[in-house]
Amino acid sequence: MGDVKVLGASLSLFCWRIEWALKHKGIDYEYIEQDLRNKSTLLLKSNPVHKKVPVLVHCGKPISESLVILEYIEEKWTHNPLLPEDPLEKAMVRFWAKYVDDKCVLDALVASRAKGSEQKKAVNSAQESLKLLEKLIEGKKFFGGETIGFLDLVVGSLPNWLRLLEEMEGIKLLDSKELPLLHEWAQRFTEIPIIKECMPKTEDLISYFRAQKNGK
Amino acid sequence: MGDVKVLGASLSLFCWRIEWALKHKGIDYEYIEQDLRNKSTLLLKSNPVHKKVPVLVHCGKPISESLVILEYIEEKWTHNPLLPEDPLEKAMVRFWAKYVDDKCVLDALVASRAKGSEQKKAVNSAQESLKLLEKLIEGKKFFGGETIGFLDLVVGSLPNWLRLLEEMEGIKLLDSKELPLLHEWAQRFTEIPIIKECMPKTEDLISYFRAQKNGK
């Protein structure tokens, strides 16, 4: 099926899911780490609109936007499906994937940036957003059912990234008392070998961002 | 294929595309206008997460988020396809659809709200975003090629809505000198009978929003 490249930044939560999807499908790929403070000609040429990672380059053709890339991977390599076949179930997965990227990520960012009296309110609001995912995983092993699916790869970007925000800002977002099922799911998910392989440790994320903050 | 309902607000740019898609597929549906200032139990029950229109209710099952609904319609009723078959081409359509909803709509809103010296900058920025669509339509009759496709329905929400912002705020966004091809495409698109049927006139949009602004 030709040459597959992933332009990513190992610390970007939107990149891990692309590698997980390719590994889930058993597709060999070349990973090319991008320096986001000094963008490469390859990145600028591959995603001239947003100049962002991730980009999947398949046989020389670049595709951007992580959810668009996941759909492409699913359509191009149809074995080990990530999406359900039924159009209604598929719509539900797409709805929640958008919810994670738009609502959960935004609310967590707002909470991490809020100061003083606003912070508690923002943290509560971020937790409320996550509670809908807690409800969604109730009674299930994975969001995809007995095995991981599209939505697991999307939600899967959250735990380590949320822990990073927690450590950096001294807040609690993915509280194991408030969100026990999501916590258990995150543990199950990160134990899967192909997931573990491409999931930076929270400690590494923290030291990277501390270094960046200090201009190193 | 069962009972189809659309919960919409005739003045919401994200709703028109759903009706266009259903008409394009020749699907009978019941349109149920929603009062967004006094949300119905049906809407709150159908989209408890975002409490927004549009919602497609198919055989009692609700689906939200306009792009997710369009994908559902395309998969459920496969005749008169809106998306290309090729995964790469499909990815390009999805990329640009997201670009329209995230970037073009946001930039236009920012431009319409900017005041004083910020306004010119924001208007320029919104026009720059639209210029990428101008480039995309170059040499084509429709974004979908010889006939309308998914992306036409998505971009199709813009012209009348942009004209509304222009009238309300005294700015120029969809400038026919700056964006001649997009202008011509908008004319061709709105001449299509099924599109015309579900496209509120700019005058109606303006009087509605003026009335709303005045609290009527």
Side-chain angles (χ1 to χ4, degrees):
Chain A
M1 289 293 279
D3 169 52
V4 179
K5 289 188 180 75
V6 176
L7 313 190
S10 55
L11 301 165
S12 150
L13 78 153
F14 298 110
C15 294
W16 310 332
R17 57 180 70 163
I18 307 304
E19 290 193 82
W20 295 334
L22 290 169
K23 283 178 187 281
H24 177 80
K25 300 273 187 182
I27 308 301
D28 285 333
Y29 63 92
E30 182 191 351
Y31 176 81
I32 309 171
E33 178 77 14
Q34 300 296 305
D35 179 353
L36 298 182
R37 288 175 293 181
N38 180 21
K39 295 183 178 176
S40 69
T41 313
L42 179 61
L43 177 60
L44 298 176
K45 210 182 95 185
S46 304
N47 187 358
V49 176
H50 302 299
K51 305 173 182 70
K52 283 183 184 166
V53 291
V55 181
L56 181 84
V57 186
H58 187 205
C59 299
K61 305 283 185 190
I63 303 153
S64 304
E65 292 289 353
S66 72
L67 296 182
V68 174
I69 298 172
L70 287 186
E71 296 260 8
Y72 175 82
I73 291 172
E74 176 71 352
E75 278 167 18
K76 199 75 195 181
W77 297 282
T78 51
H79 61 282
N80 299 349
L82 287 163
L83 281 167
E85 264 189 52
D86 176 66
L88 180 66
E89 287 179 40
K90 215 184 281 187
M92 293 302 112
V93 171
R94 287 176 177 142
F95 172 86
W96 287 109
K98 187 169 162 48
Y99 174 82
V100 170
D101 280 11
D102 290 356
K103 183 89 177 112
C104 297
V105 170
L106 186 70
D107 284 358
L109 279 175
V110 169
S112 75
R113 285 166 190 171
K115 301 285 170 217
S117 61
E118 287 301 306
Q119 198 181 58
K120 202 181 162 190
K121 207 174 130 191
V123 166
N124 280 346
S125 172
Q127 283 186 347
E128 287 305 314
S129 302
L130 293 170
K131 275 185 190 158
L132 296 195
L133 301 181
E134 172 83 6
K135 213 172 158 186
L136 207 62
I137 194 70
E138 204 179 303
K140 281 184 186 172
K141 193 171 171 190
F142 294 106
F143 288 99
E146 274 308 298
T147 54
I148 58 165
F150 195 97
L151 193 54
D152 291 274
L153 304 190
V154 175
V155 185
S157 308
L158 288 180
N160 273 19
W161 180 74
L162 291 176
R163 272 182 216 119
L164 168 72
L165 294 184
E166 291 175 352
E167 283 286 334
M168 297 289 285
E169 307 299 335
I171 53 175
K172 196 76 203 159
L173 297 167
L174 196 59
D175 193 318
S176 61
K177 281 180 200 157
E178 294 278 338
L179 304 157
L181 303 177
L182 202 55
H183 239 265
E184 285 167 26
W185 163 84
Q187 278 179 333
R188 269 196 303 279
F189 181 71
T190 45
E191 273 161 21
I192 298 169
I194 59 157
I195 304 300
K196 221 181 211 164
E197 282 172 29
C198 292
M199 171 94 90
K201 288 181 188 153
T202 312
E203 307 88 88
D204 295 342
L205 284 168
I206 293 167
S207 38
Y208 173 83
F209 280 98
R210 287 234 162 97
Q212 220 184 22
K213 224 175 172 177
N214 297 331
K216 281 174 197 164
Chain B
M1 289 296 280
D3 169 52
V4 179
K5 290 187 177 76
V6 176
L7 314 189
S10 55
L11 302 165
S12 150
L13 78 153
F14 298 110
C15 293
W16 310 332
R17 56 180 71 164
I18 307 303
E19 291 192 82
W20 294 334
L22 290 169
K23 282 178 188 282
H24 177 80
K25 299 274 187 181
I27 309 301
D28 286 333
Y29 62 93
E30 182 191 351
Y31 176 81
I32 309 172
E33 178 78 12
Q34 300 296 306
D35 179 352
L36 298 182
R37 288 177 292 182
N38 180 21
K39 295 181 180 177
S40 70
T41 313
L42 179 62
L43 176 60
L44 299 176
K45 210 181 95 186
S46 305
N47 187 359
V49 176
H50 301 299
K51 305 171 182 71
K52 283 181 183 167
V53 290
V55 181
L56 181 85
V57 186
H58 186 202
C59 300
K61 304 283 185 190
I63 303 154
S64 304
E65 293 287 355
S66 73
L67 296 183
V68 174
I69 299 173
L70 288 186
E71 296 259 9
Y72 176 82
I73 291 171
E74 176 70 351
E75 277 168 18
K76 200 75 196 181
W77 296 281
T78 50
H79 61 280
N80 298 349
L82 286 163
L83 281 167
E85 265 189 52
D86 176 65
L88 180 67
E89 286 178 39
K90 215 185 279 188
M92 294 302 112
V93 170
R94 287 179 176 139
F95 172 86
W96 287 109
K98 188 170 162 48
Y99 175 83
V100 170
D101 280 11
D102 292 356
K103 183 92 178 110
C104 297
V105 169
L106 186 70
D107 283 0
L109 278 174
V110 169
S112 74
R113 284 165 191 173
K115 301 284 171 218
S117 61
E118 288 299 306
Q119 199 180 58
K120 201 181 165 193
K121 207 174 130 193
V123 166
N124 279 347
S125 172
Q127 282 185 347
E128 287 305 314
S129 302
L130 293 170
K131 274 184 191 160
L132 296 196
L133 301 181
E134 172 84 4
K135 213 171 158 187
L136 207 62
I137 194 69
E138 203 179 306
K140 282 184 186 172
K141 192 170 171 191
F142 294 107
F143 288 99
E146 273 309 296
T147 54
I148 58 166
F150 195 98
L151 194 54
D152 291 274
L153 304 190
V154 175
V155 185
S157 308
L158 287 180
N160 273 20
W161 179 73
L162 291 176
R163 270 180 218 123
L164 168 71
L165 294 184
E166 290 175 350
E167 282 288 331
M168 298 288 286
E169 306 300 335
I171 53 177
K172 197 77 204 157
L173 297 167
L174 196 60
D175 193 316
S176 61
K177 280 181 200 155
E178 294 279 338
L179 304 157
L181 303 177
L182 203 55
H183 238 266
E184 284 166 28
W185 163 83
Q187 278 178 334
R188 269 195 302 281
F189 181 71
T190 45
E191 273 162 21
I192 298 170
I194 60 158
I195 304 299
K196 219 181 215 166
E197 281 171 30
C198 291
M199 173 93 90
K201 286 180 190 155
T202 312
E203 308 87 86
D204 295 343
L205 285 168
I206 293 167
S207 36
Y208 173 83
F209 280 98
R210 288 235 161 97
Q212 219 184 23
K213 224 176 172 176
N214 298 332
K216 282 174 200 166

